[in-house]
Amino acid sequence: MASFMGLFPYNMAGPLNFYHHNNYKYQIGNHRNSALFSCIDHNLTQHMLSCKRQSCSTSTITCSAANKPSPSTEVSSTAKIRSEVLSPFRTVRMFFYLAFLASGALGGLIATTRLIAALANPSRAAEVPEILKGLGIDIGAAAIFAFLYYRENKAKNVQLARLSREENLSNLKLRVDEKKIISVSSLRGVARLVICAGPAPFILESFKLSEPFTQSLLDRGVLVVPFASNGNLPSFEFDEGEEMKELTTKRKRLWQLAPIYVSEWSNWLDEQKKLAGVSPESPVYLSLRMDGRVRGSGVGYPPWNAFVAQLPPAKGMWSGLLDGMDGRVL
């Protein structure tokens, strides 16, 4: 059987775009010293591949690209690099833990063989207490460094899982207006997103509760992403009166974002709820830092007043200095 591997450039800003339905046919023809593989793409240019074979029979392989790729469960290289940057000495610590563990295990093995020899020879009975002391030290050292390695490796896996979820979040898509679609990562350093996820009445009530804090939230770079878990996003009512024109403009700006590719958003939110031990039907909110990482979450309505009190202004003399004061990462 022949196997094919496609090599595609990785886009650091988001996932590969496989949104086209392309059908490919691979034909293998009989040749005496070589086999000619021709790949015909109905939407792209014609490619020719050749490889040497002694003999092969005529066959046709048909494959098609799905509308969207299934998400990979493997940790991406970007998440691994970010993990190394956040914990630069973890690899060194884990190396020494393994080295000391191996040293203790080897010492314990040698002490065990000496103990067996001493027990078998009555003339060496006086050496038994000293050998047991050394064996205990070796076993204790091996156990300690095994525990330290296990704890470090567990922390590494937890960090990689969190960074992987953050990367998946950054690849989700948002609609700004009818003509503009961006990824969440495009708003890093620009806005602090607040994701409201729940049924339509929950989102509508969150919209009403945010009204007194509209200006303060915008000053802090907050933008809201309403996600209707039941698939029915409510239509927001704005006061179009002349007196409320300025406030209405700001309200529309605060609530201008809309998630697209709902299934991807739903899968990511379901994973977050599962990790937090929250019921899938519970309405929740998630608050992101300026760098796009999750800083806070909870069940129920977003605490707009707390956001105003905790977040620094996005502009002004304190903007650059206080960008790291968004809160600790969850």
Side-chain angles (χ1 to χ4, degrees):
M1 296 179 62
S3 62
F4 299 86
M5 179 179 293
L7 301 179
F8 300 95
Y10 179 76
N11 185 357
M12 298 296 290
L16 295 175
N17 186 355
F18 289 153
Y19 298 157
H20 303 284
H21 292 277
N22 299 328
N23 293 326
Y24 301 91
K25 290 185 178 179
Y26 296 92
Q27 296 177 342
I28 305 175
N30 289 325
H31 292 274
R32 187 171 183 178
N33 297 319
S34 65
L36 181 64
F37 296 77
S38 61
C39 174
I40 304 174
D41 181 353
H42 296 293
N43 296 322
L44 304 176
T45 57
Q46 187 176 11
H47 301 279
M48 301 296 294
L49 303 173
S50 62
C51 65
K52 290 185 178 181
R53 289 287 182 88
Q54 293 297 327
S55 64
C56 62
S57 58
T58 304
S59 62
T60 301
I61 306 174
T62 304
C63 62
S64 61
N67 189 30
K68 288 185 183 179
S70 58
S72 176
T73 57
E74 298 181 357
V75 179
S76 67
S77 59
T78 304
K80 293 179 180 178
I81 293 174
R82 289 181 62 192
S83 178
E84 291 291 337
V85 172
L86 294 173
S87 302
F89 299 108
R90 173 172 287 153
T91 302
V92 177
R93 292 196 299 269
M94 294 180 69
F95 171 78
F96 281 109
Y97 291 159
L98 278 179
F100 294 146
L101 172 61
S103 177
L106 180 60
L109 179 62
I110 295 174
T112 301
T113 57
R114 291 180 58 200
L115 179 63
I116 294 174
L119 292 175
N121 188 354
S123 62
R124 298 179 57 187
E127 300 178 9
V128 172
E130 189 66 24
I131 295 175
L132 286 175
K133 181 180 177 180
L135 179 61
I137 294 174
D138 291 333
I139 294 176
I144 291 174
F145 287 112
F147 169 75
L148 292 175
Y149 180 85
Y150 168 78
R151 187 180 65 174
E152 198 73 46
N153 188 59
K154 182 178 179 181
K156 176 184 177 181
N157 293 334
V158 170
Q159 185 183 59
L160 285 173
R162 188 185 72 242
L163 293 175
S164 180
R165 293 195 303 271
E166 290 176 355
E167 185 179 357
N168 292 336
L169 172 62
S170 68
N171 293 331
L172 297 178
K173 302 298 181 182
L174 295 168
R175 184 184 301 278
V176 180
D177 52 41
E178 295 181 356
K179 298 182 180 180
K180 188 174 183 180
I181 295 177
I182 61 175
S183 61
V184 173
S185 60
S186 302
L187 296 175
R188 286 177 179 170
V190 178
R192 299 180 174 100
L193 298 184
V194 175
I195 303 172
C196 294
F202 166 79
I203 295 177
L204 194 58
E205 187 64 23
S206 299
F207 171 76
K208 295 178 181 178
L209 293 174
S210 69
E211 183 174 358
F213 308 98
T214 299
Q215 183 61 54
S216 299
L217 291 172
L218 289 176
D219 291 341
R220 286 153 179 78
V222 174
L223 294 177
V224 184
V225 180
F227 178 80
S229 57
N230 57 4
N232 299 319
L233 188 65
S235 58
F236 302 129
E237 297 181 359
F238 300 95
D239 191 344
E240 301 294 345
E242 190 65 27
E243 297 180 354
M244 303 294 293
K245 185 176 181 180
E246 183 178 355
L247 178 60
T248 298
T249 302
K250 295 177 181 179
R251 297 279 288 157
K252 289 181 178 179
R253 179 186 170 192
L254 181 64
W255 291 81
Q256 65 178 326
L257 301 177
I260 60 175
Y261 305 137
V262 177
S263 60
E264 296 181 2
W265 279 89
S266 180
N267 292 338
W268 187 85
L269 287 168
D270 288 343
E271 182 182 4
Q272 291 293 111
K273 291 181 180 180
K274 182 178 180 180
L275 291 172
V278 177
S279 171
E281 293 79 17
S282 299
V284 297
Y285 72 89
L286 292 95
S287 173
L288 307 187
R289 304 196 330 170
M290 188 70 80
D291 58 6
R293 306 179 70 182
V294 178
R295 65 171 293 273
S297 61
V299 178
Y301 300 110
W304 305 116
N305 55 340
F307 294 156
V308 173
Q310 297 171 1
L311 298 176
K315 297 181 180 180
M317 62 179 297
W318 302 107
S319 58
L321 181 63
L322 298 179
D323 280 352
M325 303 294 291
D326 294 44
R328 69 181 183 89
V329 178
L330 296 182

